[in-house]
Amino acid sequence: MLAKVFSSALIGIDAILVDVEVDIAPGLPAFATVGLPDGAVKESKDRVKAALKNSGYDFPPRRITANLAPADIKKEGTAYDLPISIGILAATGVVKGPRLHDYILLGELSLDGGLKPIRGALSMAVAAKRAGLAGLILPAENAPEAAVVEGIDVIGATSLSQVVEFLSGREIIEPCRVDLQELFASGCEYGEDFSEVKGQEHAKRALEIAASGSHNILMIGPPGSGKTMIARRIPTILPRMSFDEAIETTKIFSVSGMLEKERALLAVRPFRSPHHTISDVGLIGGGTTPKPGEVSLAHNGVLFLDELPEFKKNVLEVLRQPIEDGKVTISRSLLSLTYPARVMLVAAMNPWRCVNLSLLARTKGYKRRQNEGNPRRHQSSRQVLSRLAA
């Protein structure tokens, strides 16, 4: 008995179609998942077995093989729980009907059969539309995010049994709809505004010029002069995001698992301010499982580096390519990923260390000249500094 359903896999910030093939054959009970799965996908067999039994369905005591094709692309995450479960039920004849091949199935299963949210729903909705499918079925919490893509039906479900009833034609679930204009307008509000800054006319003028052309800028000033306060308000004077920019930015946050539940679309320009102890991988992305870094999370927005001299040299060096090219390319043995990284780089630093070193150098030179003219004359550094200040 063989069944086939559709799912999706993330590659960078985009998604591709994945065929989930489930074969049930006679033999000793076993469950094998093939197709380059990661640890979370391999563990799905235990969640699937418990979810099927607790939802009232029989788990076949036979040899089950689940193939995730194409097999040369690594499958990550827990979104394959639902398609594997539906594939098993389709192979045993529980789920029948034409709807089985019209939708992409996505969702993590809890042990009681409930559906939990996943990452990258927006990118997978785009993949479903590109593949010409009717839509996708996914957890209800992800439905508003995926419904941003027009032209497909986004079915939000809460449990495995509800998905089974819908695919069998015994239950009707209305597709999720969102008002894009209202969603885009309501998401354009910032919590703070550039007009709140009082004084600092020269600094505000420089920042307005830099923001008009998305130029990088370095602010130098003593602690407490308002560098960070002004930097946080720079996104409010940048041009408003277009719909395409909002979609691209939302994709990055969605695949990173950082998209807020109550916000289906990011219509404000992001502001990212990483700590100076960040690593180069954390800044530009990468890792064993490549993920976007801070420079990609700031795409179409502002990347603020406070206390610039405190950042490690190698961390600042890796920013060269993203700033020049507007993208980050991460190469691994199996694949190469490209994340967008068009940012306005804003940096801030304190001048005191440089000023003190300059004064110290001038002090030493002054004392040396005085000693050369009159070897018996000695003055303390404090006296010399007071003279220079006067």
Side-chain angles (χ1 to χ4, degrees), residues 40-114:
V41 180
K42 291 179 180 178
E43 292 174 352
S44 65
K45 60 182 180 180
D46 297 318
R47 293 190 297 270
V48 167
K49 184 176 181 179
L52 287 174
K53 288 186 175 181
N54 293 327
S55 299
Y57 303 106
D58 293 330
F59 186 81
R62 298 184 181 181
R63 182 176 181 81
I64 302 174
T65 303
N67 178 41
L68 310 177
D72 59 340
I73 296 177
K74 189 175 182 61
K75 315 302 187 306
E76 302 169 350
T78 57
Y80 300 101
D81 292 358
L82 180 61
I84 291 176
S85 300
I86 297 298
I88 292 174
L89 295 176
T92 55
V94 176
V95 178
K96 298 179 181 178
R99 291 183 177 180
L100 195 62
H101 301 99
D102 293 339
Y103 294 90
I104 285 180
L105 303 176
L106 303 162
E108 176 185 347
L109 287 175
S110 60
L111 298 184
D112 61 354

Side-chain angles (χ1 to χ4, degrees), residues 54 90 117 130 137 153 170 188 204 220 282 300 307 313 317 333 346 351 358 368:
N54 293 327
R130 187 170 56 243
I137 303 174
D153 292 336
R170 295 187 293 268
C188 290
K204 290 194 292 186
I220 303 177
N300 291 325
E307 303 294 345
K313 180 181 178 182
E317 288 291 339
S333 58
V346 179
S358 177
R368 185 173 60 253

